[in-house]
Amino acid sequence: MITPILPTYARFDLSFEKGDGAYLVTASGERYLDFGSGIAVNCLGHAHPHLVECLTDQASRLWHTSNLYNIPGQQKLAQRLTEATFADTVFFTNSGAEAMECSIKMARKYHAANGQPERYTLITFEGAFHGRTLATIAAGGQEKYLEGFGPAVEGFKQVPFGDLEAVREALDETTAGILIEPVQGEGGIRVFEPSFLKALRALCDEHGLLLVLDEVQCGVGRTGKLFAHEWAGITPDIMGIAKAIGGGFPLGACLATEDAACGMVAGSHGSTYGGNPLAMAVGNGVLDIVLGDGFLDNVRAMGLLLSQKLARIKDEHGDVIEEIRGEGLMIGIRPRVPNTDFVAALKDQHMLAVGAGENVVRILPPLISTEKEIDEAVEKIEAVCRTFRADMKQAASAGAAE
Ligand SMILES: *Cc1c(COP(=O)(O)O)cnc(C)c1O
């Protein structure tokens, strides 16, 4: 019999009653170190006092008015996002997939508005993930998400990861732009080289194409810069963000330059809830902290500390861990055992992490993590390596005895 909740997730038999900074607490009081952050969402951990205040203060005054009226929180958040980035304008959404839908529509509309409606194809990369709507599963191009849902939305052409020659060959008279996550999240914490992003920027400039970034997961401080593309010293034309910008409240946004947004006019796009006062209060609260003095310095410092300590664990446990990769506090561990087993073993140590493609275990600590919490995570990861090593030895000696 089907469960009352549509069974689209293989869930752990685990639930939580409250959160406290980097920890989640079960009803029986067991504490888990949350280094998955609700998949890179809870950037300020759980129940951050400032976010709680922003949300409850707004909740007691006004929840929703619709976009038929001005929403002061939107004006404030859009102003701050445009001041802090390449963008001149912002559309607010409730999720990452919607932010990417808006980005994709905008890229197509740009060329239509410039008299070239035939240019609607976006070049994307193997391993990409852009969401679960019909257009974004087509953009991601992953068979397991497309299968059974009818014809894929047209207008996406996928090339191998990091293959500049393949991008060049894929360009034709229908190309509207290039869509890329500077660091692939679901794909397995795969970091594109700064030189590759620079080359894509140059290619776009040369051919009049739009560079569209998906920073839904790697954005808002995760890599130690406000946005991951800053490491490459480039700017996009359009960028979708979500996850951390809401700190746990559903919020996304599509940011764009004035030129890229030229086709979007009254009636072009909309959302009933997008930019709702509650979401705006929280989004502004997140920026109060993330844009504060020293915040990103701490992300970089903690990221460096964590990756150094993980590199040492990899050296000592090379039989269990094959590779450590990532940027800032967006780190991937590639174990030699199935990543699902590794995540389950971490859970047994009361630490949460998230699986990803290429057998990777994603470590996505809250951006407010302290050295003490990093150390605790490292101890738990090392304990997991020891149990797998012991299992391997046992299996090896059992094999030898046969
Ligand atoms: C999570 C994610 C999305 C989709 O976001 P939703 O809020 O789940 O719709 C899109 N792109 C990337 C890179 C993501 O990590």
Side-chain angles (χ1 to χ4, degrees):
M1 205 171 69
I2 195 164
T3 49
I5 294 169
L6 192 72
T8 57
Y9 277 95
R11 297 171 195 263
F12 284 103
D13 184 18
L14 186 61
S15 65
F16 300 99
E17 193 175 70
K18 63 175 185 179
D20 171 18
Y23 294 87
L24 280 166
V25 188
T26 67
S28 62
E30 287 183 59
R31 289 169 73 81
Y32 284 73
L33 182 64
D34 184 8
F35 269 27
S37 298
I39 320 185
V41 167
N42 302 105
C43 60
L44 305 184
H46 299 280
H48 190 285
H50 182 60
L51 296 192
V52 171
E53 190 191 328
C54 289
L55 180 61
T56 51
D57 178 59
Q58 183 62 48
S60 65
R61 288 185 292 118
L62 183 63
W63 291 17
H64 180 82
T65 61
S66 90
N67 284 304
L68 297 175
Y69 313 102
N70 288 326
I71 297 174
Q74 272 187 24
Q75 286 163 349
K76 181 175 174 192
L77 187 54
Q79 188 69 39
R80 296 170 86 183
L81 285 171
T82 55
E83 274 166 18
T85 67
F86 72 95
D88 303 311
T89 188
V90 181
F91 181 88
F92 291 108
T93 70
N94 311 288
S95 69
E98 287 170 278
M100 295 319 302
E101 284 274 348
C102 181
S103 302
I104 294 162
K105 286 176 73 175
M106 188 186 284
R108 291 180 174 199
K109 193 78 168 189
Y110 168 84
H111 291 289
N114 283 300
Q116 294 185 295
E118 70 283 0
R119 288 173 75 167
Y120 61 83
T121 303
L122 289 170
I123 293 166
T124 65
F125 294 87
E126 279 173 14
F129 181 83
H130 300 297
R132 299 295 204 107
T133 62
L134 285 168
T136 54
I137 56 175
Q142 300 207 38
E143 196 44 46
K144 64 180 175 187
Y145 297 143
L146 285 161
E147 201 268 317
F149 294 117
V153 171
E154 240 192 280
F156 300 97
K157 200 184 233 178
Q158 196 153 76
V159 299
F161 183 96
D163 187 340
L164 193 61
E165 210 34 59
V167 176
R168 279 208 192 89
E169 276 165 27
L171 298 181
D172 61 23
E173 65 291 347
T174 74
T175 310
I178 299 171
L179 166 58
I180 185 168
E181 298 157 78
V183 182
Q184 288 187 347
E186 309 290 318
I189 313 293
R190 299 209 290 176
V191 185
F192 285 96
E193 290 291 330
S195 60
F196 184 73
L197 294 177
K198 279 199 176 85
L200 294 185
R201 179 69 269 177
L203 212 53
C204 285
D205 292 342
E206 186 186 336
H207 295 275
L209 307 174
L210 297 173
L211 182 61
V212 184
L213 297 185
D214 179 344
E215 292 226 20
V216 169
Q217 189 161 156
C218 60
V220 194
R222 179 56 53 194
T223 66
K225 296 272 191 193
L226 186 58
F227 291 103
H229 65 264
E230 294 171 29
W231 288 110
I234 57 142
T235 58
D237 301 292
I238 301 173
M239 175 171 76
I241 69 171
K243 293 196 165 100
I245 188 64
F249 198 92
L251 170 59
C254 170
L255 283 65
T257 63
E258 182 169 11
D259 185 41
C262 68
M264 304 300 271
V265 298
S268 295
H269 194 53
S271 167
T272 299
Y273 288 124
N276 144 312
L278 294 171
M280 295 300 99
V282 180
N284 276 303
V286 166
L287 283 193
D288 291 341
I289 309 279
V290 171
L291 296 178
D293 276 348
F295 184 88
L296 294 173
D297 294 332
N298 181 63
V299 176
R300 286 194 286 269
M302 291 302 115
L304 192 63
L305 192 69
L306 179 56
S307 52
Q308 282 170 346
K309 292 190 180 214
L310 290 177
R312 181 185 57 74
I313 294 183
K314 179 191 160 278
D315 285 345
E316 284 172 24
H317 299 271
D319 47 350
V320 183
I321 292 182
E322 192 175 343
E323 189 188 351
I324 305 290
R325 61 198 193 193
E327 187 77 71
L329 286 174
M330 187 171 188
I331 294 188
I333 299 177
R334 215 143 77 93
R336 294 184 195 276
V337 297
N339 61 349
T340 47
D341 292 355
F342 202 94
V343 169
L346 281 173
K347 190 207 71 171
D348 293 342
Q349 298 285 335
H350 283 205
M351 172 172 162
L352 304 179
V354 187
E358 294 202 325
N359 199 46
V360 161
V361 176
R362 269 180 285 180
I363 308 291
L364 304 164
L367 305 184
I368 51 152
S369 295
T370 61
E371 194 163 339
K372 187 164 158 289
E373 288 151 357
I374 299 285
D375 283 341
E376 188 184 334
V378 168
E379 274 167 34
K380 289 173 188 293
I381 291 165
E382 195 156 21
V384 164
C385 288
R386 279 196 297 269
T387 58
F388 280 117
R389 173 182 267 177
D391 287 352
M392 284 169 177
K393 279 208 179 120
Q394 216 168 25
S397 63
E402 268 171 21

